[in-house]
């Protein structure tokens, strides 16, 4: 694994792309770029986001991803006009937005300003951490449209929220404020409007400074062990943790601590 980190922005060449990408400091920022349509998801945007997420997992110089929306809205869900014409913003094997069915192995932070509705909220639920502007709103309004939140909302919302709160979202279709989402553990940090991306960058920088093998193993085990008993977890965790303890990074971490220097992670 390369130990170098790009510190200058590596932005998408095409400003008209529906997903803009930028790399800096080991962090890949993916921005939904349909502000005039409140960043409603299209098939093209889903395919572009899936490609960006593949890059996140494949590039050894990238440790963390951030997903956000341009123009003060995260994502208003699928583009209903295109839905009426038969388009589905789904990528085979990856689901809605190219994300919800197969999130990346590396950490993903959702930086939310404004509305995160329907599939947009389901993409938030597929992320690992959430930073939100204080006016952000989260909702699953599918029942108001004769639909259901089948891009993960029906089962992920009750995992991260109290059952009654999740059911209120699902059955009324009414949105939840950022403050309430934070109180119930859905959102990690609420910041001033316009500050979600900067706060997400700070969080991502902290994660990117840690050993990449340990970070990926921690995320994978935390997710996969949700339905395991304690006995099963202690037995099964070795497949995730033994490679970490046997790695070069496991030797580098204590050595750097003892020598009072920053660790140089190799990812091996």
């Amino acid at each position: 694994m390369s130990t170098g980190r790009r510190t200058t922005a590596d932005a998408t060449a095409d400003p008209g792309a529906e997903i803009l990408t930028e790399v800096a400091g080991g962090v890949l920022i993916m921005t939904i770029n349909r502000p005039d349509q409140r960043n409603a998801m299209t098939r093209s945007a889903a395919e572009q986001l899936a490609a960006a997420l593949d890059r996140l997992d494949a590039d050894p110089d990238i440790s963390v991803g951030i997903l956000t929306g341009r123009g003060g809205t995260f994502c208003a869900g699928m583009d209903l006009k295109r839905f009426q014409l038969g388009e589905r913003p789904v990528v085979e094997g990856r689901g809605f937005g190219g994300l919800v069915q197969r999130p990346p192995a590396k950490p993903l932070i959702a930086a939310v300003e404004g509305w995160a509705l329907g599939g947009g909220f389901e993409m938030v639920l597929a992320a690992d951490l959430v930073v939100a502007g204080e006016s952000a709103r989260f909702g699953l309004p599918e029942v108001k449209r004769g639909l259901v939140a089948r891009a993960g909302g029906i089962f992920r919302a009750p995992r991260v929220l109290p059952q009654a709160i999740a059911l209120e979202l699902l059955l009324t279709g009414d949105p939840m404020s950022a403050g309430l989402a934070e109180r119930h553990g859905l959102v990690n940090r609420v910041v001033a409007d316009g500050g979600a991306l900067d706060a997400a960058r700070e969080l991502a920088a902290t994660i990117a400074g840690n050993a990449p093998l340990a970070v990926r193993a921690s995320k994978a085990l935390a997710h996969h062990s949700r339905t395991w008993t304690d006995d099963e977890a202690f037995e099964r965790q070795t497949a995730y943790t033994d490679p970490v303890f046997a790695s070069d990074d496991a030797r580098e971490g204590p050595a750097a601590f003892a020598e009072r220097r920053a660790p140089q992670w190799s990812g091996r």
Side-chain angles (χ1 to χ4, degrees):
M1 174 176 178
S2 170
T3 58
R5 288 294 178 87
R6 290 187 291 271
T7 57
T8 56
D10 174 24
T12 298
D14 179 10
E18 294 193 348
I19 301 294
L20 304 177
T21 60
E22 171 188 350
V23 174
V27 178
L28 172 63
I29 300 171
M30 298 158 282
T31 304
I32 306 170
N33 184 36
R34 304 189 73 234
D36 292 341
Q37 292 78 33
R38 297 199 302 168
N39 294 324
M41 186 58 54
T42 65
R43 171 76 185 194
S44 175
E47 291 172 343
Q48 291 174 41
L49 182 55
L53 293 168
D54 285 341
R55 178 186 180 189
L56 169 62
D57 277 342
D59 191 332
D61 288 324
I62 301 174
S63 298
V64 186
I66 296 174
L67 178 61
T68 193
R70 185 177 168 217
T73 296
F74 181 78
C75 175
M78 68 177 169
D79 189 314
L80 291 177
K81 292 180 180 178
R82 297 197 185 188
F83 174 78
Q84 289 179 314
L85 298 175
E87 179 180 295
R88 302 292 183 269
V90 172
V91 175
E92 182 69 26
R94 299 205 71 140
F96 181 90
L99 166 62
V100 300
Q101 190 173 328
R102 184 161 63 86
K106 294 178 182 177
L108 179 64
I109 303 171
V112 181
E113 302 281 359
W115 294 99
L117 294 176
F121 183 28
E122 288 169 307
M123 289 197 293
V124 172
L125 290 169
D128 302 298
L129 304 171
V130 184
V131 178
E134 58 189 358
S135 295
R137 295 292 182 270
F138 303 87
L140 296 167
E142 282 84 351
V143 292
K144 294 180 181 289
R145 311 284 186 264
L147 305 171
V148 292
R150 68 176 184 178
I154 287 177
F155 54 85
R156 283 189 173 131
R159 287 179 186 168
V160 298
L161 293 166
Q163 180 83 357
I165 301 300
L167 282 172
E168 184 174 345
L169 284 174
L170 288 164
L171 301 182
T172 68
D174 292 337
M176 168 188 289
S177 70
L180 186 58
E182 183 185 33
R183 288 196 293 276
H184 288 302
L186 170 68
V187 171
N188 296 84
R189 300 177 186 174
V190 175
V191 298
D193 288 339
L197 181 55
D198 285 343
R201 286 179 189 266
E202 292 178 6
L203 192 55
T206 300
I207 297 170
N210 294 328
L213 289 179
V215 167
R216 289 184 68 159
S218 296
K219 169 177 172 171
L221 187 54
H223 281 283
H224 293 163
S225 64
R226 280 187 300 235
T227 60
W228 300 348
T229 66
D230 284 356
D231 287 342
E232 289 171 331
F234 277 110
E235 179 181 352
R236 297 178 184 179
Q237 72 170 348
T238 56
Y240 301 85
T241 59
D242 281 2
V244 174
F245 276 78
S247 68
D248 291 343
D249 283 349
R251 290 181 285 276
E252 168 63 9
F257 179 81
E259 295 165 14
R260 298 184 179 181
R261 61 173 174 81
Q264 299 298 311
W265 307 121
S266 66
R268 297 190 298 271

